[in-house]
Amino acid sequence: MDHHKDPAAEILRATLFAARAHAGQVRKGAAAEPYVNHVIEVAAILAEAGAPQEAILAGLLHDTVEDTEATHADLVAAFGEEVAALVAEATDDKALPKETRKALQVSLAPKKSAAAKQLKLADKISNLRAIADSPPASWNHARRTEYVGWAGRVADGCKGVNPALDALFEETYRAAMAKLAAEAR
Ligand code: ZN
């Protein structure tokens, strides 16, 4: 990380990069929010929890390699090796079947770097909020419940680095489960 660069300027540069990369993409939820709202939310969660600058930058960029035309080399050139490596840690191998990728997220989480664990927790917090508040129209109750449970198993392997994030995940997880339980009654 180049500490001579102004942190706010770097965050805005990463925000613009993500907004351009994700232009035209929307979240799966009924609200059809711009996709970039998700990565800004992830970065905001990290910043508020006191996560390091490179994690905040990687939060903004975490879905660019997986879901846009941007490449690892683009990220190295624009933001340096450290941020690009963190994004790589947060990127699933899309060549693998979905169920394998989901299982790997659970088994690989404990082996990730401290910054990658914080990024993964913030990502899951944002996704659980979306599942509770604006779920995809095609997702039934069972699928949403299964997703929340899986996110909890991934999060278990990411805890122990940042107590503020651990607590926020716990709170978000409980709220999502409570909402699903209430809907089932
Ligand atoms: Zn994400």
Side-chain angles (χ1 to χ4, degrees), residues 48-77:
E48 248 168 81
Q53 170 81 350
E54 60 271 18
I56 297 167
L57 293 173
L60 288 162
L61 302 164
H62 78 274
D63 283 329
T64 56
V65 174
E66 196 167 309
D67 294 333
T68 81
E69 302 291 302
T71 64
H72 179 74
D74 294 336
L75 294 186
V76 172

Side-chain angles (χ1 to χ4, degrees), residues 8-179:
E10 286 296 277
I11 284 170
L12 289 167
R13 201 160 63 81
T15 307
L16 185 58
F17 185 100
R20 284 179 173 149
H22 290 290
Q25 295 178 358
V26 293
R27 299 208 79 187
K28 284 184 214 141
E33 279 186 273
Y35 195 85
V36 75
N37 288 16
H38 162 64
V39 302
I40 294 172
E41 182 183 18
V42 169
I45 290 166
L46 288 163
E48 248 168 81
Q53 170 81 350
E54 60 271 18
I56 297 167
L57 293 173
L60 288 162
L61 302 164
H62 78 274
D63 283 329
T64 56
V65 174
E66 196 167 309
D67 294 333
T68 81
E69 302 291 302
T71 64
H72 179 74
D74 294 336
L75 294 186
V76 172
F79 299 100
E81 292 283 356
E82 191 177 4
V83 170
L86 261 179
V87 172
E89 274 198 89
T91 301
D92 281 354
D93 181 353
K94 276 204 157 171
L96 298 170
K98 187 152 181 257
E99 287 313 311
T100 308
R101 284 159 52 193
K102 288 185 78 175
L104 279 174
Q105 281 204 34
V106 175
S107 62
L108 295 179
K111 303 181 181 106
K112 295 204 181 280
S113 67
K117 286 177 176 173
Q118 292 176 79
L119 170 50
K120 187 61 82 178
L121 270 180
D123 190 27
K124 292 293 180 266
I125 290 166
S126 170
N127 288 339
L128 287 191
R129 285 177 180 166
I131 290 296
D133 301 335
S134 178
S138 62
W139 285 34
N140 64 19
H141 191 271
R143 184 163 178 195
R144 287 156 62 205
T145 305
E146 194 281 323
Y147 182 91
V148 174
W150 167 74
R153 292 193 294 281
V154 177
D156 280 342
C158 299
K159 288 177 184 166
V161 179
N162 183 324
L165 278 177
D166 293 357
L168 185 59
F169 180 86
E170 223 29 69
E171 186 188 307
T172 309
Y173 179 88
R174 271 197 236 108
M177 279 301 191
K179 189 158 187 187

